[in-house]
Amino acid sequence: MMLNFFDQFMSPVLLGIPLIALALLLPWILFPNPAARWINNRLITLQGWSISQTTHQLFTPLNQGGHKWATLLISLMIFLISLNLLGLLPYTFTPTTQLSLNMAFAVPLWLATVIVGLRNQPTIALGHLLPEGTPLPLIPVLIIIETISLFIRPLALGVRLTANLTAGHLLIQLIATAVFVLLPLMPTVAILTASVLFLLTLLEVAVAMIQAYVFILLLSLYLQENV
Amino acid sequence: VPVAEKRLVDVKLGELGSWLGTRDFTPNGILASIRKGHDRYYNKYINVRKGGIGGVAMLLAGYVALSYVWEFEHLKHDRWRKYH
């Protein structure tokens, strides 16, 4: 019986070394550099192909200035996807469940897109605060609303990632406990709940990848407006 | 063959202490041994022409085991028990 369902989100420390350090290093180890060869081995080729496909799809709508951000955003996406997927393995720790980490990713990058927009094309960047075709009396209210929505973006980015992953992990833990407890009492119900658990795990795998993708997609959209 | 140059599998049990004495435990030495170990693993299991899932899977299994060891203090409270 789980003593405390939130223990899995506490940063574990062994002999003074936090596990989060190892968990953050692992994506770096998992994606090796391509060797200086014409044709690499199968795994490296696969990795390079998938990364280039993703980059192409994400950065086609952006203009030339936005392409300078490709390295940063794609490496961040790979980092987030691998962190999320590794967190689904048993006993592992997911650093992206910590709000501090996600806000540390969201706030500087969002702020960078805003500042880039305000420096290079201030009129257009400020013009985004007023959608086209609004009726004249509504303009003041709408500007206030758009400013609020602009400032809420980093908060939304960070909290979205944190909340999705934390909720997924908690659900898996709760349903697994339910299956475990029900097994001696009502085996049929336990089997049904186990199938729910199986489907939930598949969902979590999907959510892990999708959330990372959404994070980067929204950042690229904010960039597209501003660059 | 002098003790310092033998590999660990060839060192006899009595010579283990002196063999450990010849190993390099400075930070540079530890980094070098980590890099060598990584290169050996990488070149044997991942950097092969038709690599499969095995190389990465072993790494992830090791990571799961390491995480279990790291979190044991938390996990030992989760046993079946009448009174927690």
Side-chain angles (χ1 to χ4, degrees):
Chain A
M1 187 65 100
M2 295 292 298
L3 192 55
N4 182 0
F5 283 105
F6 293 99
D7 270 344
Q8 60 178 327
F9 301 122
M10 275 169 51
S11 195
V13 176
L14 179 72
L15 305 175
I17 306 174
L19 181 59
I20 194 172
L22 181 67
L24 284 174
L25 275 183
L26 198 62
W28 174 52
I29 303 174
L30 278 176
F31 294 97
N33 277 329
R37 290 169 176 272
W38 178 242
I39 299 180
N40 285 308
N41 60 56
R42 183 190 270 178
L43 291 172
I44 301 287
T45 315
L46 205 65
Q47 170 188 309
W49 171 83
S50 51
I51 292 176
S52 65
Q53 287 291 90
T54 320
T55 317
H56 184 76
Q57 205 211 21
L58 273 175
F59 283 89
T60 314
L62 285 158
N63 61 16
Q64 199 66 19
H67 291 196
K68 285 188 250 177
W69 287 62
T71 316
L72 176 65
L73 290 182
I74 296 299
S75 59
L76 183 62
M77 178 171 174
I78 293 174
F79 190 56
L80 287 176
I81 280 190
S82 52
L83 279 181
N84 294 347
L85 285 174
L86 283 173
L88 287 172
L89 293 171
Y91 302 122
T92 48
F93 178 68
T94 323
T96 30
T97 51
Q98 311 296 315
L99 185 66
S100 49
L101 187 95
N102 295 337
M103 293 303 278
F105 282 137
V107 173
L109 290 171
W110 163 82
L111 196 61
T113 61
V114 168
I115 290 181
V116 159
L118 284 176
R119 277 191 66 191
N120 295 345
Q121 36 184 35
T123 316
I124 301 181
L126 285 174
H128 282 305
L129 288 177
L130 188 67
E132 285 186 20
T134 59
L136 205 56
L138 273 179
I139 290 183
V141 185
L142 212 52
I143 292 196
I144 296 177
I145 293 178
E146 289 286 331
T147 314
I148 295 177
S149 93
L150 180 72
F151 279 100
I152 249 187
R153 277 178 185 176
L155 199 69
L157 274 176
V159 172
R160 182 186 302 115
L161 193 57
T162 314
N164 267 296
L165 284 167
T166 316
H169 281 251
L170 268 175
L171 266 178
I172 287 182
Q173 205 164 6
L174 280 167
I175 298 188
T177 312
V179 173
F180 216 55
V181 168
L182 280 176
L183 207 53
L185 299 172
M186 294 186 275
T188 323
V189 180
I191 291 177
L192 283 176
T193 321
S195 54
V196 173
L197 186 62
F198 177 65
L199 293 173
L200 192 64
T201 315
L202 288 181
L203 176 69
E204 282 314 305
V205 172
V207 165
M209 296 193 282
I210 290 171
Q211 284 305 314
Y213 173 67
V214 162
F215 194 91
I216 300 299
L217 185 67
L218 285 176
L219 272 178
S220 75
L221 281 177
Y222 303 156
L223 191 62
Q224 189 179 2
E225 290 181 348
N226 283 324
V227 88
Chain B
V1 181
V3 169
E5 295 169 6
K6 283 193 197 174
R7 307 172 66 174
L8 186 57
V9 291
D10 297 326
V11 169
K12 310 240 180 304
L13 216 60
E15 298 171 341
L16 194 58
S18 52
W19 180 85
L20 277 178
T22 65
R23 290 289 104 190
D24 186 16
F25 285 114
T26 67
N28 264 340
I30 293 193
L31 279 175
S33 60
I34 291 178
R35 160 130 325 253
K36 270 187 287 186
H38 169 266
D39 284 344
R40 272 172 54 193
Y41 186 86
Y42 180 65
N43 287 324
K44 181 163 185 195
Y45 291 111
I46 303 188
N47 200 8
V48 289
R49 202 179 303 150
K50 289 164 64 170
I53 202 172
V56 183
M58 277 195 284
L59 202 63
L60 294 180
Y63 177 56
V64 169
L66 195 64
S67 303
Y68 182 80
V69 168
W70 222 284
E71 296 206 32
F72 187 68
E73 292 293 317
H74 281 230
L75 293 172
K76 71 182 179 191
H77 298 295
D78 295 340
R79 296 184 193 142
W80 275 107
R81 202 169 268 185
K82 197 171 174 188
Y83 304 109
H84 271 272

